[in-house]
Amino acid sequence: MLFKKVYTLIFVRTENQILLGLKKRGFGVNKWNGFGGKVEQNELIVDGAARELKEECCLDVKTSDLKNIAHLEFTFEGEPLLMDVRVFSTNIFEGTPAETEEMSPKWFNYEDIPFNDMWPDDRVWFPYMLKGKLIYGRFHYKGLDTILDYKIQELESM
Ligand SMILES: Nc1nc(SCCc2ccccc2)c2[nH]cnc2n1
């Protein structure tokens, strides 16, 4: 039986760039990713997303400006955890991204996204996100680097 745990991921975008963070510790360390993490028991998912963005790179966003653009599920061979990841995007934000203990933020041009230093599944679903599509995707891993199988589908609505 799998234990489902909800996580968030926020991508802050401008017309030409996307903000990624290099994870300095913990799950996904040394990979570039959006900002996010666990959702606490007492908070709404969107509030958890905004909280993690602030904690991880000091940016402020309004939850009403967050667009839910993907629902991703990750499972890992031999592990009981199902990671239920709610992905958000926004082009409205306040502040300047700053390094924290968790993340080193950096703006990337869309043609320079460092997929070789990101989770392997990102190169599968990022193109959908960058085209403004809504998606459901699930990825079954062996270890942290090998995708054993996956499914991805475009959605009309989340
Ligand atoms: N892009 C991406 N992100 C994650 S975890 C994102 C959610 C998270 C979880 C724990 C700490 C911080 C953030 C992935 N896992 C497996 N493939 C993956 N791809």
Side-chain angles (χ1 to χ4, degrees):
M1 180 180 67
L2 295 178
F3 299 94
K4 183 183 285 195
K5 200 164 174 46
V6 181
Y7 297 86
T8 60
L9 204 48
I10 286 189
F11 291 98
V12 178
R13 300 177 59 184
T14 66
E15 191 187 349
N16 303 312
Q17 296 189 307
I18 186 167
L19 186 68
L20 298 176
L22 184 63
K23 192 86 183 317
K24 294 165 66 174
R25 66 186 184 190
F27 188 78
V29 64
N30 293 330
K31 289 182 186 346
W32 292 94
N33 204 353
F35 301 87
K38 292 185 186 69
V39 178
E40 306 301 341
Q41 263 140 359
N42 63 343
E43 71 183 347
L44 297 178
I45 295 173
V46 284
D47 291 328
R51 174 182 52 75
E52 287 285 355
L53 182 70
K54 175 91 173 161
E55 286 172 6
E56 293 186 341
C57 76
C58 312
L59 281 189
D60 293 297
V61 291
K62 287 193 294 191
T63 55
S64 56
D65 288 327
L66 292 179
K67 190 163 184 286
N68 181 207
I69 54 137
H71 177 199
L72 304 175
E73 293 181 334
F74 301 110
T75 51
F76 300 84
E77 195 76 4
E79 309 256 333
L81 174 68
L82 185 150
M83 297 181 72
D84 176 342
V85 182
R86 306 301 169 99
V87 185
F88 299 90
S89 177
T90 184
N91 62 4
I92 303 167
F93 59 95
E94 280 188 2
T96 303
E99 176 154 7
T100 63
E101 291 178 352
E102 286 285 325
M103 286 283 210
S104 298
K106 183 172 180 237
W107 290 102
F108 287 87
N109 296 329
Y110 290 118
E111 57 274 13
D112 300 328
I113 294 173
F115 286 115
N116 291 337
D117 294 313
M118 296 167 73
W119 284 96
D121 53 277
D122 292 13
R123 65 177 81 231
V124 174
W125 59 268
F126 256 59
Y128 292 85
M129 167 173 67
L130 300 183
K131 279 186 279 190
K133 309 279 187 194
L134 304 178
I135 52 164
Y136 166 78
R138 64 166 176 257
F139 298 83
H140 184 60
Y141 271 85
K142 180 172 174 56
L144 300 178
D145 301 318
T146 308
I147 297 172
L148 290 180
D149 64 300
Y150 73 92
K151 167 183 178 162
I152 190 160
Q153 64 185 85
E154 276 186 46
L155 304 173
E156 294 307 310
S157 67
M158 287 312 292

